[in-house]
Amino acid sequence: MFERGTGLQSCDEMDQGRMRILGIETSCDETAAAVVEEVDDAARPWLTRSSVVASQVEIHREWGGVVPELASRQHVRDICGVVERALDDALVTPRDLDAIAVTQGPGLVGSLLVGVSFAKSLAAAWQLPLVPVHHLAGHIESLFLQHGPLPLPAMVLVVSGGHTSLYEVRTAGHYRAIGRTRDDAAGEAYDKVAKLVGLGYPGGPVIDRLAKAGHDRAVDFPVARMTHPDRNEPLRKGQWDFSFSGVKTAVLRHVRARGEGWSPSDGEMADLCASFQRSVVGALVDKTFAAARWYGARSVGIAGGVSANSRLRADAEAAGARAGIPVYVPALALSTDNAAMIAAAGLRRYHAGVRADDSLNADASLPLTS
Ligand code: KG4
Ligand code: ZN
């Protein structure tokens, strides 16, 4: 159940000048804790001492998606062990920590509450400052944690089960939203399509794997290109927005057209997955690079669970090479939800003077300000 992080370093002699932060993440169906430390290296200033993730995927799989009530109960069961393990793996005690960072939102409110309450209790008991972190700021900071400072301005695509958004980052730690999905998030589309064709939850990894054997033009699914203003917000031009409900509906129609009880062969399933993936990845890559060129970005970053997708990584890399813009993605363990990214974002916010007091509450729809 526990997954050991990759950043384990021996720590016989603690350098007392270094700042060390414990990160806690419980926004959805992963209970995660990590210890990240500042080091004297301008190229890679953050070191992941430990990163522990207890995934609930097996619990939710039988329901075909995340069941919020089950998720929060499982967080309660796992959080103590996960935090203890993160400290053990990092070879630190609470005395070696300087602060605690926790995901305040957005996410499932019951899940968030477990992390926030636990972090508040630890901060009070250990007399440490508490730093609230936005989940998407964590995903964006996973890029800086992995690669050190990115060439700025950067165009960052955050693409996960709950979000598909483009941010312009002119200064590290400041994120300007320039586009977002108008309906489903890309990961949500993967999960819904997988459910529809009986591939189970979560959909992204299995569709990604099956697509490798398929023809990506076997089925002509639409690639959404948003050119019109959002009906719900007509004053926003929204030319950098995404939409994935169209392709999801096209898959539904394709399946229905084959009649009740259609049981695709392995080849048909692979073709369907490859064609669906071409449509989603095409929309993500085209829009991200169009925005990068428009805003004069010096780098492109892609973070969030869907950034684990093999075709998205390959196509973005190829588009970056054509455009002469370097592309940054996190390691697979940093793509999906984890607490190292929350600790990293917490370090940045700690230095910006952000602190929470004991009135801190979880916020399921917290906006990303800066
Ligand atoms: O960032 P994340 O772990 O949680 C959220 O904040 O939502 O992202 C989870 C999402 C799920 O929708 C999952 O299907 C998708 O990321 N995902 C993938 C892949 N691995 C995970 N989507 C496409 N290809 C993958 N390889
Ligand atoms: Zn996430």
Side-chain angles (χ1 to χ4, degrees):
M1 183 181 222
F2 296 110
E3 195 181 292
R4 212 174 252 269
T6 49
L8 193 65
Q9 306 276 322
S10 77
C11 182
D12 297 338
E13 288 180 326
M14 286 284 182
D15 175 347
Q16 293 308 318
R18 290 174 173 182
M19 163 112 198
R20 250 166 253 114
I21 192 163
L22 168 70
I24 295 178
E25 151 67 36
T26 62
S27 66
C28 189
D29 61 344
E30 257 100 31
T31 317
V35 176
V36 171
E37 175 176 275
E38 281 179 344
V39 292
D40 219 3
D41 177 355
R44 291 280 301 277
W46 295 331
L47 171 76
T48 306
R49 294 194 63 86
S50 66
S51 181
V52 178
V53 180
S55 171
Q56 304 178 0
V57 159
E58 294 308 326
I59 295 167
H60 300 291
R61 182 167 283 143
E62 82 174 270
W63 305 97
V66 178
V67 183
E69 183 60 27
L70 294 181
S72 39
R73 284 172 195 223
Q74 195 60 35
H75 284 307
V76 171
R77 286 187 198 104
D78 285 342
I79 186 102
C80 275
V82 166
V83 169
E84 265 173 13
R85 177 74 176 268
L87 297 183
D88 286 354
D89 280 5
L91 306 177
V92 298
T93 68
R95 261 192 297 278
D96 302 314
L97 297 173
D98 300 287
I100 298 174
V102 66
T103 307
Q104 184 189 4
L108 302 171
V109 73
S111 293
L112 289 164
L113 268 170
V114 177
V116 167
S117 326
F118 197 79
K120 275 164 69 171
S121 314
L122 289 184
W126 296 345
Q127 299 189 324
L128 290 171
L130 181 61
V131 184
V133 169
H134 190 284
H135 183 74
L136 297 192
H139 276 302
I140 295 172
E141 296 299 346
S142 72
L143 297 165
F144 291 77
L145 176 60
Q146 169 95 40
H147 301 285
L150 264 49
L152 299 178
M155 184 57 60
V156 179
L157 171 69
V158 182
V159 61
S160 69
H163 297 87
T164 301
S165 303
L166 272 173
Y167 293 96
E168 187 200 20
V169 183
R170 292 200 158 269
T171 315
H174 295 272
Y175 324 108
R176 189 161 80 93
I178 67 154
R180 41 103 172 111
T181 182
R182 294 191 189 170
D183 38 59
D184 291 342
E188 189 180 358
Y190 268 95
D191 294 338
K192 286 179 175 169
V193 162
K195 190 171 181 180
L196 180 72
V197 297
L199 290 176
Y201 174 84
V206 59
I207 290 181
D208 190 6
R209 181 165 50 76
L210 296 180
K212 291 194 168 88
H215 296 295
D216 65 1
R217 291 184 186 272
V219 191
D220 191 19
F221 291 132
V223 178
R225 300 198 199 287
M226 218 47 42
T227 48
H228 53 283
D230 188 341
R231 251 174 307 172
N232 300 317
E233 274 184 81
L235 295 179
R236 253 184 103 246
K237 272 177 100 184
Q239 74 268 44
W240 309 116
D241 286 353
F242 301 93
S243 165
F244 296 104
S245 67
V247 62
K248 182 192 65 186
T249 308
V251 175
L252 178 64
R253 276 206 215 99
H254 178 83
V255 170
R256 286 214 178 125
R258 264 130 205 93
E260 193 138 337
W262 178 54
S263 160
S265 67
D266 288 354
E268 285 171 324
M269 184 64 95
D271 286 351
L272 188 147
C273 290
S275 304
F276 165 74
Q277 182 150 284
R278 181 178 75 88
S279 162
V280 173
V281 170
L284 292 172
V285 171
D286 290 356
K287 193 125 288 184
T288 302
F289 279 87
R293 281 191 293 271
W294 178 265
Y295 283 93
R298 292 184 54 231
S299 62
V300 160
I302 306 182
V306 182
S307 73
N309 185 268
S310 59
R311 176 151 189 182
L312 177 57
R313 285 174 176 241
D315 287 7
E317 194 58 50
R322 282 196 300 276
I325 304 175
V327 177
Y328 296 89
V329 289
L332 290 180
L334 282 178
S335 287
T336 44
D337 287 349
N338 66 89
M341 68 185 196
I342 301 303
L347 273 176
R348 196 184 295 287
R349 281 168 67 78
Y350 177 89
H351 289 303
V354 178
R355 305 284 185 276
D357 60 25
D358 58 11
S359 67
L360 180 72
N361 205 352
D363 185 344
S365 46
L366 186 70
L368 179 58
T369 43
S370 256

